[in-house]
Amino acid sequence: MRRRNTMTRLLAIAAFGLPFALPGAAAVAAPAAPARQLSEVIPAPVETRPDARDTFTLRPQTVIRTSPGSVAALQVGRQFAEILRPATGYQLPVLPVRSTPLPEIALVLGGADGRVGREGYQLDVTRRGVTIRANTAAGLFAGTQTLRQLLPALIEAPDRQRVTWTVPGGRIVDHPRFAYRGAMLDLARHFHAVDEITAYVDLLSQYKINYLHLHLTDDQGWRIQIDSWPRLAPVGGGPGTGVDGVGPGYLTKADYKAVVAYAAARHITVVPEIDMPGHTNAAQSTYPELNCDGIAPPPRTDIEVGYSSLCIDDELTYRFVEDVIREIAEITPGPFLHIGGDEAHATTDDEYRTFMQRVLPMVAKYGKRVSGWNEILQVDPPTDVVAQFWGTGTTNADLAEAAARGNKVIMSPASKSYLDMKYDANTRLGLRWAGYIEVSDAYGWDPARRVTGVGEDAVLGVEAPLWSETLRSLDDIEYMAFPRLPAIAELGWSTAASHDWESFRARLGQQAPRWRLQEVDFYPSPQVPWS
Ligand code: TNX
C-alpha cells in the first residue's frame, strides 16, 4: 500500500542503501551506480539499440514538450511531469510547442518507426534530449512508462532526492504482441474501494496493461448501483456481504465513472462483468421474484460455487437482465461487456443455451461486444463474442472449434495466470485449486501455444484475474499481484522470441527498489535476484 507515512518511505529509502539521498541532505554527487541499460525494462521492448556515447541527464531546466494542438499528448505530458516532480524537485513545465532551446523530453505524435502501430512508440535518447514518437496518445503514454523505468529507481521516491537523473542513450522501437493485456479485480467476494482500485490501476499502467476487468457481481455480493433495481447494491452489497461477511460495499454510478475516467487517463479500458446465469445469489437473495419459487434464499458468505441460477423460463429474468445490461452499457465507454457464464452448474445445458440466446443479442442491442468465460462457447456464439479461457488443461475442444470459426480468445489459464493461487504451501493468502504458482510458472508459458488449436491469430491477449475470497486489503492485492502481474504483462506485450526466464528474473529483481519506494507489498520470491 502506498502513501502511508513518511517514516515508512524513509525506511524504504534507507533499506535501498542510499543514505545520501535522504530528503534535505546536502547535495552530494551520486556514487557510480551500476549503469542501467536500455533493455532493463518490463515488459521487454521489441528492439533496443544502445548508444554508449550518449546519455541524457534530466536537469532543473528540462521542459516537457508535447505536439502542438494535441490535448491528449498534453495530458500524457502533464501526467508524466507529475510522476517526475516529487523526486526531482524540478518544475518540468509542459509546453505544447514545436521546439525549445532547452533540454527537453519531447512527446511527438507522428514520425515514428513504421512498426509501432496503434499502441507502440519509438524512444530516442541523446545528450540533448529524449524524444518519444508515437501515432497515438496511448503510444506516447507507453513510451513514458518505459522512460520512467530507464531513470534511476529513486525517481519513485515521494520527495526530493539529490541524484543525477541519467537515462542511457540509444533507441527503442516497441509495440505490443497482443491487443488485449488485462488484469481483473473481484469486487464481489470482497469489495475493493475506489482508492484501492485506482492504486492498482497506477501499478498496472507501469507495465502496459490496457484492460481492467471488474468482476462486479457474484453469489456473495452485488457491487454496482442499478437504478431500475434499487436494492441490488445497497442490500446485495450491504453490511454483512462478502466472504465471511467482511467485504461490504458497492460502487455508485459516480464511483464507477470515476474509476473508468481514472483508468482511461492511463490508457486502460474498463471491462465490467455481470456474471450470469449462475453466481447470482446476491441478486436473488435481494429480490425474491428472481427465483423460480419466488422465495429469496439467504445471503451467502461461503466460497462454494455453482449452486445459484436465475430462473430461465421466467420473462421477469430477461427484464432484469436487460435493465442491468442497459444501465451498465450506458456508463461504460469501452467496447466489452462481460457476461460471465461460468460454473452454471444449477442450470441444464438446454437452459443455459436458452438463456444465452436471449442475452447475447441484448448486449449487442446496447452497442457492446460480449466477452464471457469459456463455458459460453457451449452455445456456439457469434464470432464477435470473445471467450476468456480459464481452464488448467492444454486441450479444449470448444475453444479450438471456436478459434477455427473465428472467435477471439483471452488466455487466463488458471494454473498460470490466476493471481489468487498461492505461490507455495507457505503463502498465507490465496487458494490452491489450480496449483501453486511461483513466478517461473506465471512466466513460463506462451499464450499462443497453451491450448492446442488456439494459435497466435485466435489469441486477442492475456489477462491475470485476481479473485478475492482470501483478500481483505490493498496490501493483500499487491502481495498476490507482485511479482506475477509483471510476468503476465510481459507475456502480453513482448515478442515470443524475447521470452527468456534468466533475462526476465534479472529485470524483475531490478524492479524491487521501485516497488519499495512505491510501498508495494510484493512477495520476495526466492526465484528472483532482488536488488
Ligand atoms: C473459479 S474462474 C471461478 C471463480 C472463483 C475462482 C477462485 C471462474 C470463471 N470462476 O468463481 O472465484 O475460481 O480461484
Side-chain angles (χ1 to χ4, degrees):
M1 193 207 290
R2 283 159 309 151
R3 288 171 216 105
R4 232 167 311 177
N5 60 54
T6 310
M7 190 40 90
T8 9
R9 284 188 222 120
L10 293 181
L11 289 172
I13 292 164
F16 184 31
L18 292 169
F20 65 88
L22 283 174
V28 177
R36 281 174 319 288
Q37 317 246 324
L38 266 193
S39 54
E40 290 175 358
V41 172
I42 293 177
V46 170
E47 184 180 291
T48 56
R49 276 192 248 155
D51 184 344
R53 294 158 311 171
D54 251 341
T55 301
F56 175 71
T57 304
L58 195 62
R59 298 178 192 283
Q61 315 86 321
T62 303
V63 303
I64 296 181
R65 175 170 81 75
T66 65
S67 276
S70 170
V71 175
L74 186 64
Q75 193 189 19
V76 174
R78 286 187 176 144
Q79 270 177 308
F80 193 48
E82 272 169 36
I83 287 168
L84 303 182
R85 278 177 194 135
T88 60
Y90 303 159
Q91 285 185 339
L92 302 171
V94 185
L95 311 172
V97 296
R98 205 160 290 284
S99 65
T100 73
L102 296 165
E104 61 178 27
I105 297 172
L107 306 181
V108 179
L109 285 171
D113 184 286
R115 290 169 290 171
V116 306
R118 222 180 46 75
E119 286 188 281
Y121 62 91
Q122 173 183 324
L123 184 149
D124 288 285
V125 182
T126 69
R127 204 158 310 151
R128 187 171 177 280
V130 176
T131 306
I132 300 173
R133 294 185 178 85
N135 294 321
T136 63
L140 293 178
F141 182 82
T144 61
Q145 297 306 317
T146 296
L147 179 52
R148 182 176 178 178
Q149 290 188 33
L150 293 173
L151 282 156
L154 280 167
I155 198 67
E156 304 298 342
D159 32 34
R160 189 165 177 190
Q161 308 296 313
R162 299 197 182 265
V163 289
T164 309
W165 302 106
T166 55
V167 180
R171 169 172 294 184
I172 293 179
V173 177
D174 199 14
H175 52 88
R177 177 181 179 191
F178 295 113
Y180 187 107
R181 305 172 304 279
M184 190 206 84
L185 286 177
D186 170 10
L187 273 52
R189 275 53 176 273
H190 187 95
F191 180 65
H192 306 306
V194 171
D195 60 342
E196 297 172 316
I197 302 170
T198 55
Y200 197 48
V201 166
D202 281 337
L203 295 172
L204 299 177
S205 68
Q206 294 177 43
Y207 297 98
K208 304 185 172 71
I209 294 288
N210 65 346
Y211 283 93
L212 173 67
H213 170 183
L214 296 176
H215 184 75
L216 292 167
T217 66
D218 212 301
D219 291 319
Q220 300 89 341
W222 185 284
R223 309 300 184 188
I224 180 75
Q225 176 188 346
I226 299 293
D227 297 323
S228 52
W229 296 74
R231 295 202 308 280
L232 275 176
V235 176
T241 62
V243 170
D244 295 340
V246 296
Y250 64 91
L251 299 176
T252 64
K253 285 188 173 173
D255 290 336
Y256 178 85
K257 289 179 189 168
V259 168
V260 165
Y262 191 91
R266 286 147 190 84
H267 298 276
I268 293 178
T269 302
V270 169
V271 180
E273 179 187 349
I274 306 293
D275 202 349
M276 51 192 160
H279 290 276
T280 47
N281 193 72
Q284 292 180 287
S285 71
T286 304
Y287 283 100
E289 59 268 45
L290 293 178
N291 299 273
C292 286
D293 60 7
I295 300 171
R300 295 277 295 248
T301 58
D302 58 280
I303 68 169
E304 280 300 306
V305 293
Y307 55 83
S308 58
S309 177
L310 292 171
C311 189
I312 305 300
D313 295 327
D314 188 344
E315 273 310 302
L316 183 68
T317 293
Y318 301 98
R319 259 181 36 217
F320 166 74
V321 170
E322 184 159 356
D323 285 340
V324 171
I325 287 174
R326 184 185 64 250
E327 291 197 32
I328 296 290
E330 268 167 17
I331 54 176
T332 301
F336 294 110
L337 202 157
H338 198 302
I339 60 171
D342 59 316
E343 299 173 318
H345 305 319
T347 311
T348 66
D349 289 354
D350 279 350
E351 288 172 331
Y352 187 83
R353 180 175 292 273
T354 302
F355 179 84
M356 287 299 174
Q357 279 168 354
R358 288 289 299 272
V359 171
L360 293 176
M362 283 180 198
V363 177
K365 176 176 170 187
Y366 294 103
K368 298 297 165 189
R369 181 172 177 187
V370 172
S371 54
W373 299 106
N374 55 262
E375 285 96 322
I376 205 166
L377 296 175
Q378 288 163 25
V379 310
D380 301 329
T383 51
D384 66 340
V385 169
V386 172
Q388 184 169 6
F389 176 70
W390 63 282
T392 54
T394 55
T395 57
N396 181 301
D398 285 346
L399 207 68
E401 282 166 30
R405 281 196 304 270
N407 292 81
K408 297 286 184 197
V409 174
I410 294 168
M411 295 304 270
S412 299
S415 47
K416 299 289 182 185
S417 73
Y418 267 33
L419 301 180
D420 62 310
M421 292 300 121
K422 291 174 182 289
Y423 293 95
D424 63 21
N426 297 321
T427 312
R428 178 178 62 88
L429 302 166
L431 304 175
R432 57 163 186 234
W433 67 264
Y436 300 128
I437 304 182
E438 250 294 357
V439 186
S440 60
D441 304 307
Y443 184 72
W445 60 290
D446 182 335
R449 286 165 178 257
R450 177 66 187 170
V451 177
T452 309
V454 184
E456 190 91 19
D457 291 345
V459 175
L460 186 63
V462 294
E463 184 180 297
L466 179 46
W467 302 95
S468 291
E469 285 92 338
T470 64
L471 309 185
R472 302 290 178 265
S473 66
L474 179 57
D475 284 348
D476 291 351
I477 291 174
E478 289 171 351
Y479 190 80
M480 299 309 275
F482 285 81
R484 292 179 294 193
L485 185 277
I488 304 300
E490 176 146 322
L491 295 183
W493 179 281
S494 306
T495 62
S498 71
H499 191 266
D500 177 26
W501 167 244
E502 288 303 327
S503 157
F504 179 71
R505 70 189 200 102
R507 285 179 287 119
L508 199 56
Q510 292 160 354
Q511 298 285 310
R514 295 168 196 273
W515 296 342
R516 291 188 198 106
L517 291 164
Q518 294 183 50
E519 298 182 15
V520 175
D521 287 286
F522 64 97
Y523 161 65
S525 166
Q527 297 187 328
V528 178
W530 299 109
S531 294

